[in-house]
Amino acid sequence: MNLLRYCALLLWLLSPLLSAEDIARDLRGNGGGTGHETDGGYFELGLGAAYYVDPFLQEYGDCDSHKVCPSLSISGAYHYRSGFIELADATYDGLNIGYTLWDDSRWAVDLIALNIFGELSSEDNHSDDPERQKEIDLMQRSRLFIGSGTRVTGYFGNTIVQYRLMGDVSGEDGIVSSLRVGQSWQYRNWNFHSMVSGDWLSRKASNFLIGISPDEATERFPAYEAKSSLYISGEVGVAYPLSDHW
């Protein structure tokens, strides 16, 4: 998500303190509260390994399909009073700009005025073969879902439950929704955590992001009309604080 990573540079410039709204970040902290108490922000860079299954990666991208490759994640947030901007690369949440409507020790209710996720391609490959050019255009196409909606987060000890509902701002590209449940365990200075997520996309949203229209179709990539989609993902990790700021 190149656009989201560019936005992370802005967050880095605005992030001298610690705060969090993204559930993945909250779990890597201590998972014990809403995290809206102070103004400020954070910037987070993560390195890892990922196993990709994607036919589009067979010829383009930094990793071949069906191989384990290094991965990079960038996250950040800045919170001022009840307003916030955040970049959640560890989940499908993407870039969020919003306002906290309700916040206490157990619940947080956020209005997401702007949510952006998807893929903005920076590739610009060309071919003299018209059929091959259609394939290249398809693999390089940019698809960004731009929506708004609400997010409700519940804190139950070291367990966090979060539900999101977003609708496309144009009214044409459908609805996306997610439910995430996370748990953290503290052992001395080590914080272990796990999270299970379910992301649902309506038929319109699925078609917008992964569908192939007849005009885009090629012999290799035939026309495809997607139905509603459900993505299940999980995360297991451990965090160790090096200092008050790292």
Side-chain angles (χ1 to χ4, degrees):
M1 300 181 183
N2 297 320
L3 175 64
L4 302 183
R5 289 173 181 167
Y6 296 150
C7 292
L9 297 177
L10 173 63
L11 290 170
W12 177 69
L13 296 173
L14 298 175
S15 302
L17 302 174
L18 286 176
S19 180
E21 286 84 21
D22 172 41
I23 181 174
R25 162 67 190 184
D26 217 347
L27 287 167
R28 289 190 293 272
N30 57 28
T34 59
H36 295 245
E37 291 83 2
T38 60
D39 296 337
Y42 73 91
F43 178 77
E44 187 173 78
L45 177 67
L47 300 175
Y51 181 77
Y52 291 98
V53 179
D54 189 339
F56 287 176
L57 294 174
Q58 290 177 356
E59 299 178 30
Y60 293 94
D62 299 326
C63 178
D64 291 336
S65 184
H66 298 283
K67 289 187 177 180
V68 177
C69 302
S71 65
L72 173 68
S73 64
I74 300 175
S75 300
Y78 189 82
H79 184 270
Y80 180 71
R81 296 185 178 178
S82 295
F84 60 85
I85 176 174
E86 61 187 33
L87 174 71
D89 199 20
T91 61
Y92 290 104
D93 292 358
L95 178 69
N96 295 313
I97 300 176
Y99 185 88
T100 300
L101 300 175
W102 174 265
D103 183 13
D104 61 20
S105 61
R106 178 59 60 89
W107 295 98
V109 180
D110 300 319
L111 171 66
I112 307 296
L114 180 64
N115 169 241
I116 303 176
F117 75 93
E119 186 73 25
L120 182 63
S121 176
S122 60
E123 300 286 343
D124 190 23
N125 297 300
H126 298 281
S127 173
D128 294 331
D129 183 347
E131 181 72 6
R132 181 59 180 159
Q133 184 60 50
K134 287 185 66 176
E135 293 181 355
I136 292 174
D137 291 341
L138 182 61
M139 290 186 284
Q140 293 179 166
R141 71 181 183 182
S142 299
R143 290 292 170 94
L144 291 177
F145 183 92
I146 302 176
S148 62
T150 58
R151 177 176 64 190
V152 179
T153 308
Y155 298 84
F156 308 94
N158 290 333
T159 301
I160 304 177
V161 179
Q162 186 178 89
Y163 176 74
R164 299 170 72 253
L165 179 64
M166 301 290 152
D168 169 60
V169 293
S170 71
E172 297 180 356
D173 296 326
I175 296 171
V176 299
S177 180
S178 67
L179 177 64
R180 315 194 193 286
V181 180
Q183 177 74 32
S184 64
W185 301 268
Q186 191 78 29
Y187 177 72
R188 296 183 179 177
N189 287 337
W190 294 88
N191 182 62
F192 298 86
H193 69 273
S194 64
M195 180 175 66
V196 176
S197 302
D199 291 83
W200 177 83
L201 284 71
S202 70
R203 180 183 61 82
K204 286 185 177 180
S206 295
N207 265 315
F208 173 71
L209 292 171
I210 63 175
I212 300 176
S213 69
D215 291 338
E216 295 174 309
T218 67
E219 183 177 352
R220 180 183 177 189
F221 300 114
Y224 174 68
E225 183 175 354
K227 299 180 180 179
S228 60
S229 307
L230 178 63
Y231 298 87
I232 304 296
S233 60
E235 175 180 322
V236 178
V238 59
Y240 183 84
L242 300 178
S243 67
D244 291 340
H245 300 286
W246 294 92

